[in-house]
Amino acid sequence: MPSLPLKALWHNPKLRAYRARAGSQWQALAKREQLALQGLAGFLLLCSTYSLLWQPLQQGLYAAQQNWRNASLQHSQLLQLPLDASEAQEGVSASNLPSVVARSGQQAGLNLQRMDREAPGRLSLALEGHLGSLITWLDQLEQQQVQVLSLSLEVSPEGVANVQLQVQAP
Protein backbone atom coordinates (compact mmCIF):
# COMPACT_ATOMS: atom_id res chain seq x y z
CA MET A 1 0.00 0.00 0.00
CA PRO A 2 1.55 3.31 -1.01
CA SER A 3 2.02 5.72 1.83
CA LEU A 4 0.37 9.10 1.51
CA PRO A 5 1.71 12.21 3.14
CA LEU A 6 -0.24 13.41 6.15
CA LYS A 7 -1.27 16.58 4.37
CA ALA A 8 -2.80 14.53 1.53
CA LEU A 9 -4.76 12.45 4.04
CA TRP A 10 -6.00 15.55 5.84
CA HIS A 11 -7.33 17.03 2.61
CA ASN A 12 -8.84 13.76 1.39
CA PRO A 13 -12.45 14.49 0.29
CA LYS A 14 -13.89 11.46 2.13
CA LEU A 15 -12.13 12.45 5.35
CA ARG A 16 -13.19 16.08 4.91
CA ALA A 17 -16.84 14.99 4.53
CA TYR A 18 -16.57 12.81 7.67
CA ARG A 19 -15.06 15.70 9.68
CA ALA A 20 -17.85 18.01 8.54
CA ARG A 21 -20.54 15.47 9.45
CA ALA A 22 -18.94 14.79 12.88
CA GLY A 23 -18.66 18.54 13.53
CA SER A 24 -22.31 19.12 12.71
CA GLN A 25 -23.34 16.19 14.94
CA TRP A 26 -21.22 17.59 17.77
CA GLN A 27 -22.88 21.00 17.39
CA ALA A 28 -26.29 19.32 17.41
CA LEU A 29 -25.62 17.89 20.88
CA ALA A 30 -26.79 19.79 23.91
CA LYS A 31 -24.12 21.55 26.03
CA ARG A 32 -24.78 19.12 28.84
CA GLU A 33 -24.12 16.13 26.55
CA GLN A 34 -20.98 17.76 25.17
CA LEU A 35 -19.66 18.27 28.72
CA ALA A 36 -20.52 14.69 29.63
CA LEU A 37 -18.64 13.37 26.59
CA GLN A 38 -15.66 15.62 27.31
CA GLY A 39 -15.61 14.37 30.91
CA LEU A 40 -15.77 10.77 29.69
CA ALA A 41 -12.92 11.40 27.25
CA GLY A 42 -10.83 12.96 30.05
CA PHE A 43 -11.55 10.01 32.35
CA LEU A 44 -10.56 7.53 29.63
CA LEU A 45 -7.38 9.52 28.98
CA LEU A 46 -6.47 9.34 32.68
CA CYS A 47 -7.22 5.62 32.87
CA SER A 48 -5.18 4.83 29.78
CA THR A 49 -2.29 7.01 31.01
CA TYR A 50 -2.33 5.13 34.32
CA SER A 51 -2.54 1.72 32.64
CA LEU A 52 0.03 2.34 29.93
CA LEU A 53 2.55 4.61 31.67
CA TRP A 54 2.30 4.97 35.44
CA GLN A 55 1.52 1.40 36.46
CA PRO A 56 4.36 -0.23 34.46
CA LEU A 57 6.81 2.34 35.82
CA GLN A 58 5.72 1.64 39.39
CA GLN A 59 5.95 -2.11 38.85
CA GLY A 60 9.45 -1.71 37.40
CA LEU A 61 10.47 0.46 40.34
CA TYR A 62 9.12 -2.10 42.80
CA ALA A 63 11.01 -4.91 41.03
CA ALA A 64 14.23 -2.86 41.07
CA GLN A 65 13.81 -2.17 44.80
CA GLN A 66 13.27 -5.87 45.47
CA ASN A 67 16.38 -6.75 43.45
CA TRP A 68 18.38 -4.16 45.40
CA ARG A 69 17.16 -5.56 48.73
CA ASN A 70 18.02 -9.10 47.66
CA ALA A 71 21.47 -8.09 46.46
CA SER A 72 22.26 -6.19 49.67
CA LEU A 73 21.00 -9.11 51.76
CA GLN A 74 23.22 -11.51 49.82
CA HIS A 75 26.15 -9.12 50.21
CA SER A 76 25.70 -8.96 53.98
CA GLN A 77 25.39 -12.75 54.14
CA LEU A 78 28.60 -13.13 52.15
CA LEU A 79 30.40 -10.84 54.57
CA GLN A 80 29.30 -13.01 57.47
CA LEU A 81 30.75 -16.17 55.95
CA PRO A 82 33.71 -17.52 57.89
CA LEU A 83 37.20 -17.33 56.47
CA ASP A 84 38.42 -20.23 54.36
CA ALA A 85 39.23 -23.31 56.39
CA SER A 86 42.89 -23.04 55.43
CA GLU A 87 43.04 -19.43 56.64
CA ALA A 88 41.26 -20.29 59.88
CA GLN A 89 43.68 -23.13 60.64
CA GLU A 90 46.82 -21.21 59.69
CA GLY A 91 45.85 -17.99 61.46
CA VAL A 92 47.08 -14.68 60.14
CA SER A 93 50.18 -14.78 57.98
CA ALA A 94 51.98 -12.31 55.76
CA SER A 95 50.20 -13.67 52.69
CA ASN A 96 46.63 -13.43 54.00
CA LEU A 97 47.00 -10.29 56.14
CA PRO A 98 45.38 -7.95 53.55
CA SER A 99 42.30 -10.16 53.14
CA VAL A 100 41.93 -10.68 56.91
CA VAL A 101 42.22 -6.94 57.60
CA ALA A 102 39.82 -5.97 54.79
CA ARG A 103 37.20 -8.58 55.67
CA SER A 104 37.27 -8.00 59.43
CA GLY A 105 37.22 -4.22 58.96
CA GLN A 106 34.18 -4.42 56.71
CA GLN A 107 32.44 -6.77 59.15
CA ALA A 108 33.12 -4.25 61.93
CA GLY A 109 31.47 -1.50 59.88
CA LEU A 110 34.66 0.38 59.10
CA ASN A 111 35.30 2.11 55.79
CA LEU A 112 38.70 1.09 54.45
CA GLN A 113 39.87 4.13 52.50
CA ARG A 114 43.41 3.03 51.67
CA MET A 115 45.59 -0.05 52.06
CA ASP A 116 49.24 -0.06 51.04
CA ARG A 117 51.62 -2.99 51.35
CA GLU A 118 54.88 -1.59 52.66
CA ALA A 119 56.74 -4.86 53.07
CA PRO A 120 55.81 -8.53 53.20
CA GLY A 121 53.46 -8.86 56.16
CA ARG A 122 53.26 -5.11 56.82
CA LEU A 123 50.36 -2.86 55.78
CA SER A 124 49.66 0.84 56.02
CA LEU A 125 45.94 1.56 56.40
CA ALA A 126 43.57 4.52 56.40
CA LEU A 127 40.17 3.80 57.96
CA GLU A 128 37.04 5.66 58.93
CA GLY A 129 34.26 4.49 61.23
CA HIS A 130 32.61 4.72 64.60
CA LEU A 131 35.09 4.84 67.47
CA GLY A 132 33.51 1.89 69.33
CA SER A 133 33.66 -0.29 66.24
CA LEU A 134 37.27 0.70 65.67
CA ILE A 135 38.34 -0.24 69.20
CA THR A 136 36.56 -3.60 68.98
CA TRP A 137 38.19 -4.26 65.59
CA LEU A 138 41.67 -3.43 66.91
CA ASP A 139 41.08 -5.80 69.82
CA GLN A 140 40.10 -8.58 67.39
CA LEU A 141 43.27 -7.99 65.39
CA GLU A 142 45.43 -8.19 68.49
CA GLN A 143 43.70 -11.45 69.49
CA GLN A 144 44.84 -12.83 66.12
CA GLN A 145 48.43 -11.75 66.98
CA VAL A 146 48.45 -8.90 64.44
CA GLN A 147 50.77 -6.20 65.75
CA VAL A 148 49.81 -2.53 65.54
CA LEU A 149 53.07 -0.68 64.86
CA SER A 150 51.75 2.88 64.74
CA LEU A 151 48.38 4.55 65.18
CA SER A 152 47.17 8.07 64.43
CA LEU A 153 43.61 8.81 65.51
CA GLU A 154 41.28 11.78 64.95
CA VAL A 155 37.79 11.66 66.45
CA SER A 156 34.94 13.99 65.48
CA PRO A 157 32.37 15.19 68.04
CA GLU A 158 29.89 12.68 66.53
CA GLY A 159 32.23 9.80 67.41
CA VAL A 160 33.48 9.14 63.87
CA ALA A 161 37.16 8.24 63.88
CA ASN A 162 39.68 8.78 61.09
CA VAL A 163 42.61 6.41 61.60
CA GLN A 164 46.02 5.97 60.04
CA LEU A 165 47.80 2.83 61.22
CA GLN A 166 50.46 0.31 60.36
CA VAL A 167 49.96 -3.34 61.13
CA GLN A 168 52.25 -6.34 60.84
CA ALA A 169 51.52 -10.03 60.66
CA PRO A 170 53.02 -12.25 63.37
Side-chain angles (χ1 to χ4, degrees):
M1 178 174 157
S3 63
L4 296 173
L6 188 58
K7 188 175 184 179
L9 284 176
W10 186 256
H11 293 295
N12 186 340
K14 289 182 181 180
L15 188 59
R16 187 180 295 174
Y18 176 75
R19 281 194 326 261
R21 192 177 38 217
S24 65
Q25 288 176 349
W26 178 260
Q27 295 300 326
L29 291 175
K31 276 290 192 200
R32 184 175 180 185
E33 291 173 340
Q34 288 179 0
L35 286 174
L37 286 173
Q38 288 172 345
L40 178 63
F43 177 74
L44 290 175
L45 180 65
L46 284 174
C47 289
S48 61
T49 301
Y50 175 78
S51 297
L52 296 174
L53 297 176
W54 184 257
Q55 190 177 22
L57 285 175
Q58 290 300 314
Q59 289 172 346
L61 178 63
Y62 178 75
Q65 288 172 340
Q66 288 294 86
N67 290 341
W68 174 258
R69 285 187 195 112
N70 290 341
S72 63
L73 177 65
Q74 288 175 352
H75 182 260
S76 66
Q77 289 172 345
L78 282 174
L79 290 177
Q80 293 173 357
L81 288 176
L83 297 174
D84 292 342
S86 61
E87 287 182 3
Q89 292 172 354
E90 294 173 7
V92 179
S93 65
S95 63
N96 69 0
L97 179 64
S99 65
V100 169
V101 167
R103 182 183 295 231
S104 64
Q106 196 168 25
Q107 286 175 345
L110 301 173
N111 181 18
L112 181 63
Q113 296 173 336
R114 183 179 53 87
M115 179 188 299
D116 296 324
R117 184 177 287 208
E118 294 185 349
R122 181 180 285 186
L123 297 175
S124 177
L125 305 166
L127 297 161
E128 180 182 62
H130 191 267
L131 183 60
S133 300
L134 174 71
I135 293 171
T136 304
W137 177 71
L138 287 172
D139 185 47
Q140 289 173 354
L141 286 181
E142 287 184 356
Q143 289 175 2
Q144 295 175 343
Q145 280 74 41
V146 174
Q147 299 169 346
V148 177
L149 302 176
S150 68
L151 176 76
S152 171
L153 177 66
E154 294 177 18
V155 181
S156 72
E158 295 83 25
V160 177
N162 286 318
V163 182
Q164 307 283 324
L165 72 145
Q166 287 183 338
V167 293
Q168 183 172 334

